[in-house]
Structures are given as structure tokens and as C-alpha cells.
Amino acid sequence: MTTATRSSALVPTEEQELLRRSVREFASARFDIAQLRAYRDGEASVEAPLCYSRAHWREMAELGWTGILFPEEYGGLGLGHAELGVVLEELGRRLLPQPLLSTVLLAGSAILRGGSEAQKQAVLPGICAGELVLALAFQEQGRFAPWQVAMRATRVADGYRLAGEKRFVLDGHDADQLLVLARTAGKPGARDGLTLFLLDPQTPGVECVRTSLLDVRNAARIRFADVKVSMSQVVGAVDRAALILDPVFDGAAAGLSAELVGVLSEAFERTLAYLKIRRQFGALIGSFQALKHRAADMFCERELAVSMTLAALRALDAGRADAPALASAAKARTSDVANLIGREAIQMFGGIGMTDEEEIGFFMKRARAAETTLGDGAYHRDRFATLNGF
Amino acid sequence: MNNKTALDNFRTDIARWLEECYPAVLRPLDVESGMQPEAVVPETIRNAERRWHRLRAEQGWLAPTWPREYGGAGLDRDQARVLAQELRRVGVRPPPISAGLSLLGPVLLQRGTPEQKLRHLPGIARDEVMWCQGYSEPGAGSDLASLTTRAVPDGDHFVVDGHKLWTSHADKAHWMFCLVRTDPEAPQHEGISFLLIDMKSPGISVAPIRLISGPSAFCQTFFDQVRVPKENLLGQLGEGWTIAKQLLQYERQALGSIGRGDLGRAQTLPELAKQELGSEGVRIADPVLRAQVAQCELDSLALRLTMNRSADEAGAGRGGDHIASMLKLYGSALTNRRHELMMTLLGADGLGWEGPGFSDAALRITRQWLRAKGNAIEGGTNEIQRNVIAKRILGLPE
Ligand SMILES: Cc1cc2nc3c(=O)[nH]c(=O)nc-3n(C[C@H](O)[C@H](O)[C@H](O)COP(=O)(O)OP(=O)(O)OC[C@H]3O[C@@H](n4cnc5c(N)ncnc54)[C@H](O)[C@@H]3O)c2cc1C
């Protein structure tokens, strides 16, 4: 599909609605939140150390969803962020964990944008076929600051030696390939002097520890102790990785916004449903104006988050100049609104909302994790301001 | 494809026409025009604005989608969108919200008899006849349906007695659309009718009300045995509440659009912030206030996109109803936030009331800050909008 024929209207196309229906069917047939609890508690019946199912990953690939963003020559569908956004939103509604963000939006997109033909051939068809999971190892500190990279890549005779530590590497403990961001020049914080390397996690010197997050996803801590890589493992131009990663982070922020729209919409609807069944003082609690008005405010916030996200996804697909600002706007807004609704949901459920048995808490936790990932509201408001010249 | 070419041609025609006819002094003050803001006398601008307003009205562009016979331009939805884009491109402000154009017009178009439409619409579309809204009364504000202004049939007339409050522009308006009780015995919502009343009718008196923002268009209106011809009843007898609610949707949509934050040629919020706080490079110098400016700008963008989305949804035949309440609630709250922030940016410069010592721009912001409070009250208070959303959209129990 060419950009020229794509609709810029802020309503889903018929094809996107069909896609939404099939993702919804898939998600509800394959997954429920009880499974998330089982992943967390390490029950033997599921692929516990993984926290997602490789079988589902392959099924999603068969349906074409892991290849939505990739050109047909690599086995993909050659569609856009708008379509991938539909998938992410529906998975978000169900809190279904799958390595779409790590593999497709981060590592895969970076290789599509910056990789050599050989590198693309080596990973993209595997992603589209559901055989490969990739991870992008870039973050070193708690707050998202993509160029705060201290990890060094030192030039040696026939390649580089990598030394340093990466944290919060999404799906890093299970990735078949790692795409690693390291400093070839300059100081931490500088955009220039960063380079990407593609490597096998089994390479000697790579030590990967799985860390469990509160949303039952995982993000590894990976140590690199003088890991040797060859020149053919460099992805894109040396020192210029930021140019590859700028649009990759935009796409990923917009995709994560779409997931957040799913998360916050489901949390909102569950809360609304609870307001209509819980009785106190001889009345349904949804009849109390104090709660009604907060529900109305949440509704407005939700609608604005939806519009912003749709606009960002469409701007990316059209390659518009304002796409980066819109991606930041969408991530800021969905992060804030997901948090708001998460908080309000727990409060409106009362004591039951505090229990692990009631599922609403899982939504708040995922909201918090997704908010923090790739920059929270404060980060993206700052970037939005910068991009708009103030 | 054909349609697309036709639309492109339409766009070119509009652009060419604007190039010729839109006064240069009204264009955005950009580098290209090479114009110095202080070089332009306010009087010149005001005259140009008046001339342009007439010209636009003659083109039918105040009501682009209305049929030509009623003073519109007879455009379809796509053409109207193109027109709006082209006007915005050269910096034309949308016409100010007015009771005739924004509120009554759309309702009259749908519900008026052919005679009523021919009589009233062209005057509205050309902005020659001014209307005011007679809904609220001293005892009927949020609880509008409790209104008591009576209209009693007498031959081919109604005789109206009562007291309307907050009737903006009643002192200048030629006509009023008015909610009256025609059946005191009927259930509250069913005994109300919708009348069009000539403000020159004997028995009407108007007294202005001063607002916190200073002298204003605010009035109260008294009716003493006012005779209104029966042909001025809009819709059926007792149908007034239904019509009133429909009109309120248009009012709420219009009020919500104030929150867009991109209307008019005035300084943008970031520009004001840089002027008042200074800048480091292009950044607003104060990081805390900069974050607040960013939040405001971001929320305005979200509101604009939501308006676009609701128009797109309507175009695709899936219009969400009662979206107007959401736009009004969010838009007016945002307008208030924006003005609070502008006052903060101005500091003591925002405390001026009139006269020398303060810039016109600062004095204007101060008055607008005060007037903006009203946006959260008029057209149904924001608490009422939340009630409407909770009931009609969210289906929460009574
Ligand atoms: C600038 C401006 C222009 C106006 N122009 C016009 C005009 O041209 N024509 C016209 O007819 N009217 C006009 N109005 C009147 C406006 O519609 C009313 O002021 C409004 O409907 C509120 O009514 P009220 O002022 O009587 O307040 P009240 O109804 O007395 O409300 C007082 C407070 O109580 C709250 N409240 C009331 N009921 C509820 C409830 N059920 N739940 C929760 N809270 C509630 C309100 O939200 C408000 O905060 C205008 C008002 C303003 C401010």
C-alpha cells in the first residue's frame, strides 16, 4: 500500500476494523488474565520463564501480524503503523504479552532502517515467520534517556570489543539476537558517537539475567565483558546510530500508545461496569455524583487520547514532518491517562481493587510499566515542546 | 478520482480568489509579508476586518453548507472542508460564535417551515440580523425545564409574560429565540414551546448587566403582554424542549471549539511565554512554566484532533452523539486553564484594569481571563455536562 492511497481520516478503515475483530477473537480465545498470574507465579503448566508464548508468536506470524511493518520481499505485509496499532491496542485490552514491541517496533525496525541487505535477510524473514525474537539493548538507567549510553565499543584489529551493562532490555533474556547500542565516540548524553551491533546472545562474554517486572513482563539485565564482534556485525554507520533510532523510537512510542489505549479503555470499561453492579447505601454506586463526574472526566481524557494516537499513527505512515511531535504527544497523553484511569479504577473498586484476585490491578501495573517505557509524560512533553520550537 | 480533481480545482479557485480579495493587512504577520506589526494602525485593521467580513458574508461563506437561497454557499461537506482549510491557511478567523449563525441557524434549517427559513436564514447568513437566546430565567438555570415565562394563545397570537436572565446581546439583537411555557398542566418537559420573537415588539424591555469582566453584552429581558404571531412558533406546540436540546448541542460544540487554541492572529501561548520569561536558545527560560505551556499546547492539539475525528466520524456515518458535551466540558476547562496560565505569565502586568501603564494585549488577556470563567457556565455548566455524559454516554444509573 502506498502512502498516497492511505486515508488520513481519523477513523479506522473497513480493513482495520476486520483486523481488529480477528485480533480480538484471537486474544480472547488464546489468553486470559489468569494466565498472567500463572506466568508470574511460575506455575509449571505454562512456559513460565518466558512470560509469553512462543506458540502464540508463531500463530500471530501465520496471521501476518508480526510482519505488518515489513516489506513483502522479507515475508511481511508491507502495511503501516495504523494496522500494527490495531493489533497492539487489542492485545493491550487483554494484557496479552507478546514481543511485538521488542522484536518488531524496536530491533526489527532498526534493522530495516539501518541494516545491510545481508543483515535484513538474516532477521526480517525470521521475524515475519515467527521464528525469531529480537531485543534492543540500549537503556542503562532508570529514566528513559536514549543517548545516555556509557557502554563502550572499542575498535580492535578486526572489529570491536563491547564492555558495559544494559538494563531493562525488553524480552532480552529470551531473544535469539541482540541489537546493542554502544558508544564508539564521545561522552554519555551525546547523540553522536553511538553505534549499533547485532549479535548472538550466546557470544562469549555476554551474561544475561532475567528480571521480573511488576506487569509480569520481563526485561533483562545484560552484562558485556569484553565481547568481541566483527565489522560485519555493525548495523548502519559507525557513530550515527541516533539517526536510525530517532524514527524507530517514534514508531515504538506511537505503537506503545496504541497498546496503552487498549489498556486504559479496558480498565475504564471494567470500572464503569463495576459502578453499575456494586450497591451501597441501597443504591448502585454509579448513581453517586462524585463518581459519575470522575467517570465523565475519564471518558473525555480517553477520547482525546484515542484521537491523538490515531493521528500519530497516521502521520508516521504518511511520513509527515510533524510525526515525531505527534508521536511524543500521543505517548505523553496515553501515559498520563492510563495512569489516571489506573488510579481511579482501584479507588472506585474499593477494597476488592486491592486484591490480587480482582483483575483490575493488572491494568494499573501494565499502565505504569508502559508509561515508563520509552519515556513518560514528562519526557515526551519536554520533547514535544522542543520539537515545536519552545 | 473525478471527484478529487473537481475538489482540487475548487481549492485552486478559492486560493486564487483569496489571493485577490483577502486584505493584506489581515494576513499573518510573517517574514514573507515583511510587515512590521507597529506599522499597522489599529483603525486600518478594523476597517479591513469589517470590509472582509461583508465580503465573506456576500460569498455565503459564513454558512458555507447552507443552500444558496438561504444565503449560504451551497457547498457539500468536502468542499466546506477545503474552504475552511484555505481560509485557515491565509489566517482567516472563523466567524465569531453568534446566536443566529452558530445556534439557531442549523436548527431552523432542519425544523423551520419554508416560510420561516426564507424569512430568517438569509439575514443570519449575511450577518445582518442579530439574534439572542432567551432560555435562562432567575429560577431556571441548570434546571432549565422549570422555566415559567408563559405564552397564552389569543387568536392568531401568543401573549408572552415573564422574565429572562443572562440574555447576551438582548440590547442590540433584532430577534430572540425563546423558550416559553404553553401548557402549564402538561408534564414539565412537554409544556414548553419554541418561539421566535421580534425584539421591537411592544412590551419588551431590556436592562444590561455588568459582569466581572466589565461592561458586557449581558442583559435581562422582561416581557409584559408581548404579542407574538403564531406563525413564529418553531416546530409543534409542546415540542420546545426537544428543539432546545438540539440547539444546545450546537451551542456546546461552538463553545468547545474555543479551547482549540489556534484561532485568531493573537500571540500564541509559547510566544507570550518567551516574551514574558525570556528564552534560552529557542526554549522558554523557566522550566516549570515551560512544562505548563507544553501541557496546555498538547491538550489543545488533542482537542483539535478530537474535533477532526468527530467530523471524520460524522462523514463516515458513525457520529457519536452527545460528543458536544464532551467538547464543551473539555474545551471550556482548557480555555480556563490556558487563561490562568497567561495570567501567571504576565505577573503584575496582568493586574491592569484600564488606561495607561499596561499594554492593550495585557489588558485584553485580563478581561479574557475573567470572561473565560463564563465558558464553563454558559450553555449548561460543566457539572451539567458531566451529568449528561454520565447518563447519556456512559449509561450510569440515576
Ligand atoms: C457568559 C454567559 C453567557 C450566557 N448567555 C446566555 C444567553 O445568551 N441566553 C441564556 O438563556 N442564558 C445564558 N446564560 C445562562 C447560562 O445558561 C446559565 O448561567 C447556566 O445554565 C447556569 O444556570 P445558573 O446560572 O442559574 O446556575 P445554577 O443552575 O444556579 O448553578 C449553580 C451551581 O450549581 C451547580 N449545579 C446545578 N445543578 C447541578 C446538578 N444537577 N448537579 C451538579 N451541580 C449542579 C452548577 O454547575 C453551578 O456550579 C449565560 C451565562 C453566562 C455565564
Side-chain angles (χ1 to χ4, degrees), chain A residues 179-210:
Chain A
L179 188 60
V180 182
L181 184 66
R183 192 156 282 291
T184 34
K187 291 211 171 58
R191 275 176 61 88
D192 282 345
L194 293 169
T195 307
L196 284 165
F197 300 90
L198 184 62
L199 56 111
D200 188 322
Q202 304 305 324
T203 313
V206 178
E207 187 209 342
C208 180
V209 180
R210 181 189 159 207

Side-chain angles (χ1 to χ4, degrees), chain A residues 8-13 17 268 272 275-276 284 286-287 289 291-297 299-304 306-308 310-311 326 328-329 332-333 336 380-386 389-390, chain B residues 270 274 282-284 290-291 293-295 297-299 301-303 305-309 312-313 316 318 322-323 325-327 329-330 337 382-387 389-391 393-398:
Chain A
S8 66
L10 297 177
V11 281
T13 62
E17 285 300 350
F268 179 58
L272 215 49
L275 295 180
K276 294 177 188 176
L284 293 169
S287 67
Q289 200 178 54
L291 301 190
K292 275 186 183 170
H293 282 194
R294 280 150 64 189
D297 284 336
F299 170 77
C300 294
E301 296 289 349
R302 198 262 306 250
E303 290 302 306
L304 268 69
V306 169
S307 314
M308 196 78 118
L310 283 172
L326 279 168
S328 270
R333 180 152 262 285
D336 292 349
H380 282 287
R381 272 194 300 282
D382 173 73
R383 182 167 181 262
F384 176 81
T386 305
F390 64 89
Chain B
K274 284 186 196 179
V282 296
R283 289 167 76 97
I284 296 164
R290 173 175 177 267
V293 170
Q295 182 75 60
E297 290 292 285
L298 210 141
D299 291 341
L301 174 62
L303 181 69
L305 291 169
T306 303
M307 290 179 166
N308 296 349
R309 176 160 73 96
D312 289 344
E313 279 173 357
R318 321 175 209 172
H322 296 281
I323 197 84
S325 282
M326 178 189 92
L327 296 178
L329 169 59
Y330 198 89
R337 239 196 302 141
N382 282 4
E383 287 73 25
I384 296 301
Q385 305 310 324
R386 288 188 180 93
N387 288 350
I389 292 170
K391 180 172 173 188
I393 305 182
L394 306 180
L396 287 170
E398 289 289 323

Side-chain angles (χ1 to χ4, degrees), chain A residues 257-323:
Chain A
S257 300
E259 188 195 324
L260 275 165
V261 164
V263 173
L264 65 89
S265 297
E266 180 72 19
F268 179 58
E269 283 158 29
R270 286 178 179 223
T271 307
L272 215 49
Y274 190 69
L275 295 180
K276 294 177 188 176
I277 56 160
R278 170 71 175 164
R279 291 184 154 273
Q280 282 296 285
F281 299 99
L284 293 169
I285 58 170
S287 67
F288 302 144
Q289 200 178 54
L291 301 190
K292 275 186 183 170
H293 282 194
R294 280 150 64 189
D297 284 336
M298 284 192 268
F299 170 77
C300 294
E301 296 289 349
R302 198 262 306 250
E303 290 302 306
L304 268 69
V306 169
S307 314
M308 196 78 118
T309 303
L310 283 172
L313 295 167
R314 279 170 182 49
L316 283 165
D317 287 335
R320 286 200 341 237
D322 59 351

Side-chain angles (χ1 to χ4, degrees), chain A residues 75-146:
Chain A
L77 295 183
L79 294 171
H81 289 89
E83 284 76 18
L84 187 56
V86 169
V87 177
L88 286 160
E89 181 183 334
E90 287 304 320
L91 298 184
R93 271 190 176 269
R94 202 81 190 169
L95 296 184
L96 199 166
Q98 277 292 316
L100 276 173
L101 182 62
S102 55
T103 303
V104 173
L105 279 165
L106 291 170
S109 295
I111 287 166
L112 177 67
R113 285 177 180 276
S116 65
E117 193 50 41
Q119 287 165 337
K120 290 189 215 175
Q121 289 295 350
V123 299
L124 301 184
I127 296 174
C128 295
E131 286 154 9
L132 289 185
V133 167
L134 266 67
L136 177 67
F138 66 97
Q139 195 165 344
E140 299 179 4
Q141 306 169 330
R143 284 190 67 77
F144 177 76

Side-chain angles (χ1 to χ4, degrees), chain B residues 23-58:
Chain B
V25 282
L26 297 183
R27 287 165 202 263
L29 307 170
D30 59 12
V31 193
E32 279 161 64
S33 75
M35 233 167 21
Q36 295 302 314
E38 56 269 47
V40 182
V41 193
E43 193 51 34
T44 322
I45 293 187
R46 266 196 294 278
N47 284 335
E49 259 168 2
R50 254 193 299 272
R51 254 185 301 120
W52 160 248
H53 189 65
R54 287 263 52 86
L55 203 57
R56 168 154 75 166
E58 280 159 23

Side-chain angles (χ1 to χ4, degrees), chain B residues 124-135:
Chain B
I124 293 175
R126 286 194 216 102
D127 197 23
E128 287 163 358
V129 178
M130 192 166 166
W131 286 79
C132 65
Q133 176 183 28
Y135 275 28

Side-chain angles (χ1 to χ4, degrees), chain A residues 289 293, chain B residues 133-136 141-142 165-168 218 371 374 377-381 383-384 387:
Chain A
Q289 200 178 54
H293 282 194
Chain B
Q133 176 183 28
Y135 275 28
S136 308
S142 297
L165 197 56
W166 318 131
T167 36
S168 309
F218 239 41
R371 177 59 182 85
I377 297 169
E378 61 200 311
T381 70
E383 287 73 25
I384 296 301
N387 288 350

